[in-house]
Amino acid sequence: MAGINIPGVNDKYKTNDLVEGLMKVERIPLTREQDTLESYKTQQNAWRDINQKMSSLRDSVKTLYSYDNPFNNKLASSSDEFAITADATRDASYSSFKIDVITPATADRILSKEIEKGETVPEGTYTFKVGEKNISFKWRGGKVEDFINSLNKRGADVIKASLIGVNKGKKALLIESLKTGAENRLVFEDDALKFALEKEMVRKVASKSSTFGTRNSEFSSLADSDENLQDGMPELSVNAVRASSNKIVVGPRGGAQIEIPSSVKGNQNSRIEFTLSARQVDDITKAINEGISAEPDIPEAGGITFGDVSVKNEKSQTGTDSASAPKIPRKPLDAIRSDSVLYAILDDGTEKEIPLDSSVWKFDGEEKKVSIDAKDFPGITAIAIKNKNTGVELSLGEMTAFDAKKDLGFEPIHAVSEAGDAVLKYEGITITRPENKIDDIVPGVTLHVNQKTDRTATISIVPDTESAKSALINFVGKYNQIVAEMNVLSQNKPEIINELDYLSADERADYEKKLGLFFNDFTISSAKGSMQQILSSQYKFADNAAITMLSQIGISTNATNFSGYNPGKMRGYLEIDEKKLDENLRDNLEDIRRIFGYDTDGDLIIDDGIGFLIDKQLTSYVQTGGILASKTSVLDRQIDATQKKIARLETQLDKKEADLRNKYGQMEGTLNSLESQQDSITNFTRQQQNNRN
């Protein structure tokens, strides 16, 4: 509280100093509680720092024995990094293999002729196709730069456009597919095609195709017979197949095999197209069941009369007689109705049905288009027609074969690159893929194709010892940090801080405040002792194990083999013999992995090892409700109680100070009043004496 200040009255009796002196004595309990509160907070922060460092060490040690441990990491190297590189997952096997890049996968990149400054793109619907992706939008017309921006916004990862400087002051429009592979050709449609033709990006080309299957000489008998043939039912016969007006007519129970051109057989991009229609005719089973002869109906032979002489012609001979006439089946035949009429004959002699659109069997006379892609029927050599029906006639149009990838009707004029598959040889086996990122050749390995190899590249899969070394160094660093924290808190020796020459000025000052803070608390010394015991123990996970202790790989409290006396080496810090560690990572990586965590009882769950045990030990300290949580919880309650006590003391002191100042103020007022009365009496006495004289 501020000192008393009465206008016109000076503090000549030093009442403020008296009050302050009395309050200083009264504040001693408050000061003591404030110091206690500060001590509690310092302890709480120290426990929290220990918790944070223990948690950090726990996270570090978990990585050394968990599923994602660095000892299982693999590295893939290539002898020709410019042409092909590789990434290896943890599932890859240690191995090496040979790869030749014949050609990388490419995408269509098409350039226009030179574009004048201020060129515009006319209004219209612009459609671009890349494989199965379709980019289409309505353009209101405008500058080519604005058109490029509009296309790029919609193109995303499918298509991209840009202006390229081709000559001084001259530019050309480049439109490129962002997807590689022969199946991802860039196709212009609608007004995009008109614009591409105008800007000489593409031009019309004649489709290269070959026709076949329109001559009787191309028909051959089927190699196999109809299965489950009814007794008396005619076999499938090439005699019921005939060529007529560029069509193939296949009557009931007709069948033939048509060889496809050799150029089609060797091209997986080949496509065969023709039309097919079906119409219903009189079912042949009716005539067979009734025993009607197949002998033709021949008119009377007739004759000639000249004068009185008449000559009659002999009856025509058909070559048939009752013996050769068809016999009535012992069991009436059932009419056959089948939708399976087309088959692909493969080079191994097997056949595969060619599916047809169900609309063919509406018998509406409309010709339906049939497309056969060679890639869907690997090894196709011929097409078999099997009209098993007894009351259906088929009509097939002329068969046309062409390269489906080249039959776009247009070709680029200024092609910077053309869409094509990546072609590689893996251990001598030719492989094609549409992309340059290939992950399905070698399990666990992803290949990245960049360019053609000049000579065979070797891809090697080896252990990633660097990531393992980095994880071990990180573990040692985290461990030494927590040991330094424990030493400072549990011992009252300034030299402990001086030994930590890596500390900053602020860190050093902070440690000086915490030095010996938990000198009499066995929590820290117990945790430190447990960890040291774990690190120095032997872990014999197998009878033939070469590495069973951490010190064997070059990590220990005296890894440098210092023979003199050094107090710092007695404080539990770990050291690394880097040369020894590198040698063991190279020669005993699997043993190192297992000393950090292994299964002792065969249940496939890790239950022993350095990493497992330290993790378990630290978890008891840092988990919710653990040892450190209990410490901070107790301090929370003490801090809360102390803060309440401080608040209560501050209220009491404020009241005490107010009372003292009030009392001393009244006293000073009384003294001033008495002094004033005394002055009045003195003045009166003097005046009376003067009057007498």
Side-chain angles (χ1 to χ4, degrees), residues 182 185 207-208 267-273 372-375 401-409:
R185 287 192 172 276
S207 175
K208 296 180 180 180
N267 185 355
Q268 67 172 350
N269 296 325
S270 292
R271 178 177 295 165
I272 301 170
E273 290 185 348
I372 304 172
D373 285 315
K375 66 180 181 180
F402 58 90
D403 189 323
K405 299 304 180 186
K406 296 181 179 178
D407 189 62
L408 301 176

Side-chain angles (χ1 to χ4, degrees), residues 10 41 56 270 346 404 469 472 492 526 601 661:
N10 294 324
K41 287 183 176 180
S56 181
S270 292
L346 309 181
K469 179 179 178 180
L472 289 171
N492 196 10
S526 175
D601 52 14
R661 290 191 183 280

Side-chain angles (χ1 to χ4, degrees), residues 175-294:
I175 298 181
E176 55 187 314
S177 163
L178 299 179
K179 292 185 174 295
T180 58
E183 293 186 353
N184 293 315
R185 287 192 172 276
L186 173 59
V187 180
F188 300 88
E189 293 183 354
D190 301 327
D191 290 298
L193 178 57
K194 295 178 184 178
F195 182 74
L197 288 168
E198 179 187 343
K199 299 305 175 187
E200 298 181 5
M201 302 185 79
V202 297
R203 62 188 169 200
K204 291 184 177 181
V205 293
S207 175
K208 296 180 180 180
S209 62
S210 58
T211 59
F212 63 100
T214 57
R215 296 185 297 274
N216 288 325
S217 59
E218 296 181 84
F219 307 149
S220 59
S221 299
L222 296 170
D224 57 347
S225 60
D226 193 6
E227 297 179 357
N228 303 319
L229 189 64
Q230 301 176 55
D231 185 24
M233 179 67 72
E235 290 275 3
L236 298 178
S237 174
V238 71
N239 294 329
V241 182
R242 69 182 187 279
S244 176
S245 302
N246 291 332
K247 288 185 179 295
I248 307 169
V249 180
V250 185
R253 302 298 298 170
Q257 186 168 303
I258 302 173
E259 194 80 10
I260 64 175
S262 58
S263 60
V264 179
K265 297 178 185 178
N267 185 355
Q268 67 172 350
N269 296 325
S270 292
R271 178 177 295 165
I272 301 170
E273 290 185 348
F274 54 89
T275 59
L276 173 66
S277 63
R279 72 183 186 93
Q280 291 178 317
V281 296
D282 291 339
D283 200 298
I284 64 172
T285 57
K286 181 179 179 182
I288 296 174
N289 290 335
E290 293 176 355
I292 298 175
S293 173

Side-chain angles (χ1 to χ4, degrees), residues 127-140:
T127 302
F128 304 86
K129 292 180 67 176
V130 176
E132 296 180 355
K133 298 289 186 179
N134 191 18
I135 307 297
S136 183
F137 64 100
K138 290 186 177 180
W139 172 248
R140 293 181 296 177

Side-chain angles (χ1 to χ4, degrees), residues 71-139:
F71 307 110
N72 286 335
N73 291 346
K74 311 292 193 329
L75 282 179
S77 62
S78 170
S79 61
D80 191 346
E81 298 281 349
F82 293 102
I84 184 169
T85 58
D87 296 326
T89 67
R90 300 164 61 86
D91 298 325
S93 300
Y94 297 128
S95 62
S96 64
F97 51 88
K98 307 291 185 181
I99 284 282
D100 290 283
V101 179
I102 309 303
T103 178
T106 52
D108 274 335
R109 304 177 69 218
I110 303 174
L111 198 64
S112 74
K113 67 179 182 179
E114 291 181 356
I115 292 180
E116 298 295 332
K117 188 176 181 180
E119 190 93 22
T120 60
V121 179
E123 179 183 1
T125 300
Y126 288 78
T127 302
F128 304 86
K129 292 180 67 176
V130 176
E132 296 180 355
K133 298 289 186 179
N134 191 18
I135 307 297
S136 183
F137 64 100
K138 290 186 177 180
W139 172 248

Side-chain angles (χ1 to χ4, degrees), residues 18 26 44 71 80 93 109 122 182 185 203 207 271 297 324 374-375 390 409 447 510 531 539-540 565 667 677:
L18 289 172
E26 294 289 338
Q44 191 177 59
F71 307 110
D80 191 346
S93 300
R109 304 177 69 218
R185 287 192 172 276
R203 62 188 169 200
S207 175
R271 178 177 295 165
D297 184 13
S324 61
K375 66 180 181 180
T390 55
L447 300 175
D510 183 56
M531 288 194 296
Y539 300 91
K540 197 169 181 61
Y565 174 73
M667 180 194 71
Q677 291 176 9

